[in-house]
Amino acid sequence: MSTPKFAETHNLVAFLEKPKESNGFEEIIDFLNASSVQYALTVNPTIYTTCIEQFWTSAKVKTVNGERQIQALVDKKKVIISETSIRSDLKLDDAEGTNCLPTATIFAELERMGYENLTQKLTFYKAYFSSQWKFLIHTILQCLSAKTTSWNEFSSTMASAIICLATNQKFNLSKYIFDNMVKNLDGGQIYACFYVSVYAGTDIKEMDKNQSKNGQSRTRERKSAQEPGIIKLWSTKVNLRSTMVNP
């Protein structure tokens, strides 16, 4: 397995407040704050780089009592993550949710949302939506999806997640997150590192509470900003930087 690397432009924290620059986006911000994914979008743990690296370099997928789990060692302590634990810790009520809507339903719902230039292809583009929809799609893609590039396009799976959110249907985001964490075991970008910290929470803080003193932390902590959007927060070993990513 190749050494996983942090992706600097995903798993971000959503900035769902309404400063004066949010004119025109108040309704969608209110919608996201009242949605079933509000906690997952805005949860704000400190992420210890060394703990995340230990997790991914030791992680293995095992099946226990019919349930797939990711098991890893962090400072010689076992950390176990499953679809069920993700659902519980991110406060997602999605056990009965769909994994992907039928293609015909996706096309029909996207058309209702005002999507322009609809074709039979299952790759969709944020640019063909109104500003309000762009804001919502941008937020979901950068905070919760496994994408690390090509932010203007998204798949039928993400289209299903967005449609379900917009129409008050259930999409199994817990399974989506878990399945994409499993894919990382083949190497590539570290996905859902914020979730590892949410799940391991107290244990990781106790195991690694002195790491931040040495500049080894990585955080989703929300900072103040001038306009609505996504706060991009990432760190090097010694320097934390933040910038605004606009929808």
Side-chain angles (χ1 to χ4, degrees):
M1 177 179 123
S2 60
T3 302
K5 298 179 180 179
F6 283 109
E8 296 170 353
T9 54
H10 75 161
N11 294 168
L12 309 182
V13 60
F15 180 69
L16 299 181
E17 298 177 24
K18 293 186 285 187
K20 63 181 181 180
E21 292 83 0
S22 68
N23 291 340
F25 294 95
E26 296 92 343
E27 185 177 355
I28 204 70
I29 293 170
D30 287 340
F31 173 79
L32 286 169
N33 274 318
S35 74
S36 60
V37 297
Q38 188 271 345
Y39 180 80
L41 289 173
T42 59
V43 62
N44 192 15
T46 297
I47 297 174
Y48 293 101
T49 303
T50 56
C51 289
I52 301 303
E53 290 173 344
Q54 287 182 59
F55 175 88
W56 284 112
T57 55
S58 65
K60 295 181 179 179
V61 179
K62 297 185 178 181
T63 300
V64 178
N65 296 326
E67 180 183 53
R68 284 198 310 164
Q69 299 178 347
I70 300 174
Q71 298 185 8
L73 291 176
V74 178
D75 284 0
K76 299 181 180 181
K77 294 186 178 182
K78 182 180 286 188
V79 175
I80 299 174
I81 290 177
S82 66
E83 179 184 328
T84 301
S85 70
I86 292 173
R87 181 170 296 115
S88 173
D89 292 301
L90 293 185
K91 302 181 181 180
L92 298 168
D93 180 20
D94 60 4
E96 303 301 322
T98 184
N99 298 325
C100 190
L101 294 169
T103 299
T105 301
I106 293 174
F107 287 146
E109 293 297 333
L110 290 181
E111 187 173 22
R112 286 182 58 199
M113 292 163 63
Y115 186 79
E116 301 173 0
N117 200 33
L118 192 62
T119 69
Q120 294 304 303
K121 294 181 179 179
L122 291 176
T123 298
F124 308 99
Y125 298 90
K126 187 178 68 176
Y128 294 134
F129 288 91
S130 67
S131 296
Q132 291 273 342
W133 287 117
K134 285 178 185 177
F135 184 95
L136 185 146
I137 294 166
H138 183 83
T139 302
I140 299 303
L141 292 183
Q142 290 214 295
C143 294
L144 298 175
S145 82
K147 289 179 65 64
T148 59
T149 59
S150 302
W151 297 109
N152 187 48
E153 64 183 51
F154 54 97
S155 68
S156 57
T157 301
M158 275 293 97
S160 297
I162 293 160
I163 290 167
C164 286
L165 180 63
T167 58
N168 199 30
Q169 300 180 67
K170 290 187 178 182
F171 174 81
N172 196 337
L173 185 60
S174 303
K175 184 178 188 302
Y176 172 85
I177 292 173
F178 180 80
D179 287 349
N180 280 282
M181 291 179 73
V182 169
K183 289 180 182 178
N184 276 4
L185 297 182
D186 294 327
Q189 301 290 343
I190 292 177
Y191 172 59
C193 55
F194 75 92
Y195 171 68
V196 176
S197 284
V198 173
Y199 177 74
T202 303
D203 289 339
I204 280 186
K205 288 179 182 178
E206 289 299 316
M207 290 186 285
D208 204 35
K209 61 185 177 181
N210 294 319
Q211 292 289 344
S212 59
K213 296 180 181 179
N214 299 320
Q216 302 292 312
S217 66
R218 178 183 179 87
T219 180
R220 285 185 102 219
E221 181 180 1
R222 184 170 63 216
K223 303 293 184 182
S224 61
Q226 298 300 312
E227 54 189 311
I230 308 300
I231 300 296
K232 172 186 172 184
L233 290 170
W234 53 284
S235 65
T236 62
K237 295 295 184 182
V238 294
N239 183 37
L240 181 67
R241 300 184 285 177
S242 64
T243 59
M244 174 65 72
V245 179
N246 293 314

